[in-house]
Amino acid sequence: QVQLVESGGGSVQAGGSLRLSCAASGYTYSKYSLAWFRQAPGNLREAVATIDDDGITTYADSVKGRFTISQDNADNTLYLQMNSLKPEDTAIYYCAASTRRLQWWLLSESDEYNYWGQGTQVTVSS
């Protein structure tokens, strides 16, 4: 059974940094896409960053140059390094995994991901 467990959320002031982790267990697909999504109160869930088994990454325009997605295949962990945080980054952050490598036009579609973590809260104060 696949499980995704996020950690690393918290409260920081604007300009600060946080590193989110997503530990995966039971996930053994050779072709896949992984992603970080976020959802703020009253907003739809949006894709923040994605990475596939080839290491190709994509980012939402709002986080380009500030966030970095990476993966450590040795310990099956997905990371999101978040720098220069802004109050508008405040949201619950979720990691997600698909069982196939998604085409680029599907990477931001939450319905294309098969597994989700429970979410971790990130709060950025001004």
Side-chain angles (χ1 to χ4, degrees):
Q1 184 175 355
V2 175
Q3 278 194 315
L4 303 177
V5 180
E6 300 104 335
S7 60
S11 298
V12 295
Q13 290 192 324
S17 298
L18 284 173
R19 188 192 196 200
L20 305 184
S21 299
C22 174
S25 60
Y27 190 78
T28 58
Y29 299 94
S30 59
K31 301 293 185 184
Y32 57 81
S33 293
L34 305 173
W36 287 98
F37 282 76
R38 68 185 180 187
Q39 188 166 18
N43 289 0
L44 296 174
R45 190 170 296 190
E46 63 172 349
V48 173
T50 71
I51 188 168
D52 66 23
D53 55 279
D54 272 353
I56 304 299
T57 59
T58 69
Y59 295 93
D61 288 343
S62 58
V63 306
K64 278 181 183 176
R66 300 189 298 122
F67 290 11
T68 302
I69 188 171
S70 62
Q71 58 182 329
D72 185 333
N73 292 327
D75 63 3
N76 288 335
T77 302
L78 179 70
Y79 299 99
L80 185 68
Q81 178 66 44
M82 305 186 294
N83 298 328
S84 303
L85 283 161
K86 303 176 181 180
E88 51 263 43
D89 295 319
T90 295
I92 299 175
Y93 284 70
Y94 301 88
C95 62
S98 72
T99 56
R100 60 187 178 92
R101 187 192 299 170
L102 298 175
Q103 299 297 316
W104 65 266
W105 60 88
L106 296 175
L107 288 169
S108 62
E109 300 298 323
S110 58
D111 288 347
E112 297 295 327
Y113 292 85
N114 307 92
Y115 301 105
W116 291 83
Q118 82 286 356
T120 185
Q121 176 71 47
V122 172
T123 302
V124 185
S125 58
S126 57

